[in-house]
């Protein structure tokens, strides 16, 4: 048995007691229930997303944003097939609008062309059927990329899509690698931007794991006129492929940071970018005006709680140098008007087809501050544009949200949340034109075919989820589809009251309610938790007194 005797302690007595008191204080913090319990009441499966007029469609990805009154869905690899399974078209990215019929599962694709008739004389249609994969998809290639694809046709090409390295996965650890892919970020009600991944695709790699190689992240702007979504490139690369792909997991628009707000215009904005590494999420920040200039980006260093010009190394594994340690592949970060804080909904790198959730705990500031205190900014909560809160408060522990049902092809991937559905307050108030009255800074109600606003119980109480399901696995012969489900959160109780029991994946899921965030990651009954906290404090206090006496 290993024992540390009092005589072996070389630290000053006062320092030892101070360390123990700090430990006791931290124990008190983590032993109390968070103020914002997230409780799931039920999950309803909504089935696959469909595009009328297309015979058979295989696509993955599925990111969305509400622009100019259109919910714009963005996809990665998109393949149109005939009834006999032959390929009609294939491009690395496409975009569609949510159907204006109110059917939540239906989207309206653009660029659909007739590509002939089948053997029975039936018309066959394909999305971007007049383009080849080397020409690009919905997002345009620049001239250098088009030239590269022409010269290397049949061997290697550039693509603009989420790096789909989900196969082959590591069978020993049961994990997979996945490149960046994120939903666009609005800068007004009519325009958005997005960091899009560029990859090299080797058709016949000697190493199967190097079928896709990252080229880097490019920046693009997005408009959504009634005629269909439009994308424009804003230069070449922002981040090269050998650096962390900031913006590839999520981006948020925020007020000017506390330390710079006094010297900046009130309508200026900062952009917060999350990038994925094998060890977790890293964070970067830049002003909106400098978004196209990589030299203006700064990077968060958790150990010192500051931003500097030094970009973190991709291989960092020391958790004290990682913004949010953990396992992440795809997900969404957004402000919830229902819970009045930021939510993080995501898939990890395990092949478990599971959505996980965290929330930003406003009762746990990361450091002493006169502004960012317990309860939010000035103790009065936060709002959409308070993205700086991401470094001012602690993320609650990870919990399971929903296990999505798998198809015959294997595990699901590209899990996303879509907060513009069932939520009139999905847009930050500052995005609206200045003359818009505060009472009118709300969107239409989207998803009415599934849930009437009068039955919803508040903006953001229900959340749409999507993921890519593998109907048939395989690089060359795989078939993929976007699946949907609706999460209903329960009313916010006065305290965390129930154990966490995630719903099943293969039916409409209902439970008595389960809590997200509680004492040491476990849901405990209120009375039990109170006595558990008190008993631990007594024990810890006794330890401090005992050690102090020995010293």
């Amino acid at each position: 048995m290993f024992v540390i005797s009092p005589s072996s302690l070389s630290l000053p007595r006062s320092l030892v007691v101070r360390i123990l008191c700090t430990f006791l204080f931290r124990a008190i913090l983590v032993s109390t229930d968070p103020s914002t319990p997230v409780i799931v009441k039920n999950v309803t499966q909504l089935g696959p997303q469909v595009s009328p007029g297309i015979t058979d469609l295989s696509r993955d990805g599925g990111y969305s944003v509400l622009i100019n009154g259109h919910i714009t869905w963005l996809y990665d690899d998109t393949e149109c097939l005939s009834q006999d399974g032959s390929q009609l078209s294939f491009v690395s990215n496409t975009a569609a609008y949510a159907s204006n019929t109110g059917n939540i599962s239906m989207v309206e694709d653009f660029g659909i062309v007739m590509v002939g008739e089948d053997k029975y004389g039936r018309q066959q249609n394909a999305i971007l059927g007049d383009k080849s994969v080397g020409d690009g998809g919905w997002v345009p290639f620049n001239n250098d990329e088009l030239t590269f694809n022409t010269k290397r046709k049949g061997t290697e090409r550039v693509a603009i899509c989420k790096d789909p390295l989900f196969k082959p996965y590591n069978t020993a650890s049961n994990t997979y690698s996945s490149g960046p892919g994120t939903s666009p970020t609005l800068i007004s009600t009519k325009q958005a931007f997005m960091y899009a991944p560029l990859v090299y695709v080797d058709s016949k790699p000697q190493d199967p794991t190097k079928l896709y190689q990252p080229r880097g992240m490019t920046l693009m702007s997005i408009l959504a006129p009634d005629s269909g979504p439009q994308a424009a490139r804003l230069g070449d690369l922002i981040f090269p492929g050998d650096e962390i792909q900031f913006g590839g997991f999520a981006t948020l628009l925020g007020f000017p940071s506390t330390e710079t707000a006094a010297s900046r215009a009130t309508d200026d904005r900062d952009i917060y970018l999350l990038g994925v590494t094998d060890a977790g999420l890293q964070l970067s920040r830049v002003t909106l005006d400098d978004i196209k200039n990589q030299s203006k980006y700064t990077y968060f260093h958790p150990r010192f709680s500051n931003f500097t010009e030094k970009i973190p190394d991709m291989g960092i594994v020391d958790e004290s140098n990682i913004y949010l340690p953990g396992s992440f592949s795809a997900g969404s970060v957004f402000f919830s008007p229902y819970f009045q804080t930021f939510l993080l909904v995501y898939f990890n790198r395990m092949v478990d087809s599971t959505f996980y959730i965290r929330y930003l705990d406003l009762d746990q500031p990361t450091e002493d501050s006169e502004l960012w205190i317990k309860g939010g900014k000035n103790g009065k909560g936060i709002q959409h544009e308070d993205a700086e809160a991401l470094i001012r408060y602690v993320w609650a522990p990870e919990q399971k949200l929903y296990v999505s049902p798998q198809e015959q092809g294997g595990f699901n991937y590209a899990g996303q949340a879509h907060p513009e559905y069932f939520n009139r307050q999905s847009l930050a108030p500052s995005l609206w034109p200045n003359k818009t009255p505060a009472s009118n800074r709300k969107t239409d109600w989207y998803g009415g075919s599934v849930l009437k606003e009068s039955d919803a119980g508040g903006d953001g109480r229900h959340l749409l989820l999507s993921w890519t399901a593998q109907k048939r696995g395989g690089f060359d012969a795989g078939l993929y589809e976007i699946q949907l489900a609706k999460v209903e959160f329960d009313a916010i109780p006065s305290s965390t009251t129930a154990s966490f029991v995630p719903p099943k994946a293969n039916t409409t899921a209902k439970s008595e309610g389960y809590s997200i965030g509680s004492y040491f990651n476990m849901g405990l009954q209120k009375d039990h938790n109170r006595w558990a906290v008190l008993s631990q404090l007594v024990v810890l206090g006794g330890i401090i007194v005992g050690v102090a006496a020995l010293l």
Side-chain angles (χ1 to χ4, degrees):
M1 182 177 180
F2 180 71
V3 178
I4 299 178
S5 66
S7 60
S8 67
L9 295 173
S10 59
L11 296 174
R13 174 178 175 177
S14 60
L15 179 58
V16 174
V17 173
R18 190 181 304 119
I19 292 172
L20 289 171
C21 289
T22 301
F23 176 73
L24 175 61
F25 175 73
R26 290 183 179 275
I28 293 172
L29 283 180
V30 299
S31 298
T32 55
D33 282 333
S35 63
T36 310
V38 178
I39 299 175
V40 172
K41 186 175 182 180
N42 64 65
V43 180
T44 304
Q45 294 176 27
L46 302 176
Q49 199 175 65
V50 296
S51 179
I54 305 300
T55 303
D56 199 0
L57 180 62
S58 174
R59 68 184 356 162
D60 61 4
Y63 321 100
S64 67
V65 63
L66 175 59
I67 313 176
N68 193 33
H70 298 288
I71 294 182
T72 306
W73 283 78
L74 312 181
Y75 307 97
D76 298 318
D77 287 348
T78 300
E79 182 180 23
C80 294
L81 303 165
S82 66
Q83 287 190 335
D84 63 6
S86 60
Q87 186 183 93
L88 300 177
S89 69
F90 178 84
V91 290
S92 62
N93 58 80
T94 53
Y97 286 162
S99 174
N100 58 14
T101 65
N103 187 334
I104 198 170
S105 298
M106 189 180 297
V107 295
E108 179 187 359
D109 273 283
F110 294 87
I112 297 177
V113 298
M114 180 179 176
V115 292
E117 298 179 344
D118 64 13
K119 61 183 180 181
Y120 301 107
R122 292 173 298 197
Q123 179 176 313
Q124 297 187 113
N125 298 322
I127 303 168
L128 301 181
D130 54 346
K131 293 182 178 291
S132 71
V133 68
D135 298 331
W138 170 67
V139 182
F141 282 138
N142 63 30
N143 290 333
D144 289 343
E145 292 159 354
L146 289 170
T147 300
F148 179 90
N149 284 347
T150 299
K151 290 182 177 180
R152 304 296 294 272
K153 185 176 181 179
T155 58
E156 189 177 20
R157 61 182 172 87
V158 175
I160 301 177
C161 65
K162 178 180 172 66
D163 179 3
L165 281 182
F166 55 91
K167 295 190 300 294
Y169 61 89
N170 188 324
T171 55
S173 62
N174 214 36
T175 62
Y176 68 96
S177 298
S178 182
T182 184
S183 294
T185 300
L186 290 165
I187 59 173
S188 73
T189 59
K190 295 185 178 182
Q191 185 177 8
F193 69 86
M194 187 177 77
Y195 293 84
L198 285 158
V199 296
Y200 290 110
V201 184
D202 188 342
S203 61
K204 297 179 180 179
Q206 293 183 351
D207 182 351
T209 65
K210 295 183 178 180
L211 176 64
Y212 298 88
Q213 291 291 301
R215 180 171 180 260
M217 297 293 285
T218 187
L219 186 63
M220 52 183 275
S221 67
I222 302 173
L223 300 175
D226 293 342
S227 57
Q230 298 175 357
R233 298 278 294 278
L234 301 176
D236 187 17
L237 294 181
I238 292 292
F239 299 103
D242 59 353
E243 294 181 357
I244 296 172
Q245 305 296 276
F246 287 101
F249 185 83
T251 54
L252 291 170
L253 186 74
F255 290 128
S257 62
T258 302
E259 61 268 23
T260 65
S263 61
R264 295 167 62 184
T266 56
D267 59 351
D268 198 2
R269 292 292 179 266
D270 284 337
I271 304 298
Y272 289 78
L273 308 88
L274 288 166
V276 181
T277 72
D278 288 345
L281 296 177
Q282 296 285 35
L283 183 67
S284 177
R285 184 171 68 190
V286 68
T287 67
L288 181 58
D289 288 344
D290 293 324
I291 194 172
K292 295 189 287 184
N293 187 347
Q294 190 197 9
S295 68
K296 298 293 186 179
Y297 285 70
T298 58
Y299 308 93
F300 187 66
H301 295 271
R303 176 173 290 181
F304 306 104
S305 296
N306 67 346
F307 284 88
T308 74
E309 295 178 357
K310 179 176 174 56
I311 187 168
D313 185 81
M314 288 184 67
I316 291 176
V317 295
D318 180 357
E319 291 190 357
S320 66
N321 289 320
I322 299 169
Y323 167 69
L324 183 58
S327 176
F328 303 89
S329 63
S332 311
V333 182
F334 57 94
F335 183 80
S336 167
Y338 185 67
F339 293 105
Q340 292 294 299
T341 190
F342 288 101
L343 299 183
L344 168 58
V345 177
Y346 58 98
F347 269 17
N348 63 20
R349 295 175 65 240
M350 306 299 290
V351 290
D352 60 2
S353 304
T354 300
F355 282 93
Y356 294 87
I357 187 169
R358 296 174 185 249
Y359 66 89
L360 201 64
D361 189 350
L362 302 186
D363 276 352
Q364 293 201 57
T366 56
E367 57 187 14
D368 291 335
S369 169
E370 295 182 357
L371 180 63
W372 303 96
I373 62 177
K374 184 176 180 179
K377 200 172 183 179
N378 286 317
K380 298 180 180 180
I382 60 174
Q383 55 182 303
H384 294 74
E385 296 98 329
D386 285 322
E388 187 178 353
L390 267 63
I391 64 170
R392 302 297 183 179
Y393 297 94
V394 174
W395 284 103
E398 172 185 278
Q399 295 284 7
K400 288 183 180 179
L401 174 62
Y402 174 57
V403 181
S404 60
Q406 296 184 13
E407 298 290 332
Q408 293 182 348
F411 62 88
N412 302 327
Y413 62 100
Q416 293 286 317
H418 306 274
E420 58 271 12
Y421 288 88
F422 320 120
N423 181 10
R424 287 185 180 271
Q425 300 180 64
S426 64
L427 272 59
S430 66
L431 297 175
W432 298 86
N434 291 333
K435 295 182 179 180
T436 306
S439 58
N440 292 345
R441 297 191 182 202
K442 294 184 177 182
T443 70
D444 291 338
W445 183 261
Y446 298 99
S449 63
V450 171
L451 178 69
K452 295 180 180 179
E453 183 178 6
S454 57
D455 298 331
D459 288 318
R461 182 171 176 174
H462 298 254
L463 179 64
L464 185 69
L465 302 177
S466 76
W467 63 92
T468 299
Q470 301 186 70
K471 297 173 65 177
R472 185 174 69 219
F475 279 122
D476 295 326
L479 288 176
Y480 312 97
E481 67 181 4
I482 309 301
Q483 290 275 348
L484 305 175
K486 180 181 70 66
V487 173
E488 178 185 1
F489 297 111
D490 209 344
I492 300 176
S494 58
S495 64
T496 301
T497 58
S499 297
F500 188 101
V501 182
K504 301 296 183 181
N506 58 357
T507 60
T508 297
K510 295 184 178 180
S511 69
E512 294 299 322
Y514 52 89
S515 62
I516 305 284
S518 54
Y519 173 74
F520 286 114
N521 294 341
M522 296 179 292
L524 298 176
Q525 297 297 330
K526 181 178 180 182
D527 292 337
H528 181 102
N529 188 54
R530 182 186 299 116
W531 286 107
V533 171
L534 290 175
S535 63
Q536 288 191 55
L537 296 182
V538 170
V539 172
L540 289 170
I543 292 173
I544 290 176
V545 172
V547 173
L550 288 173
L551 294 175

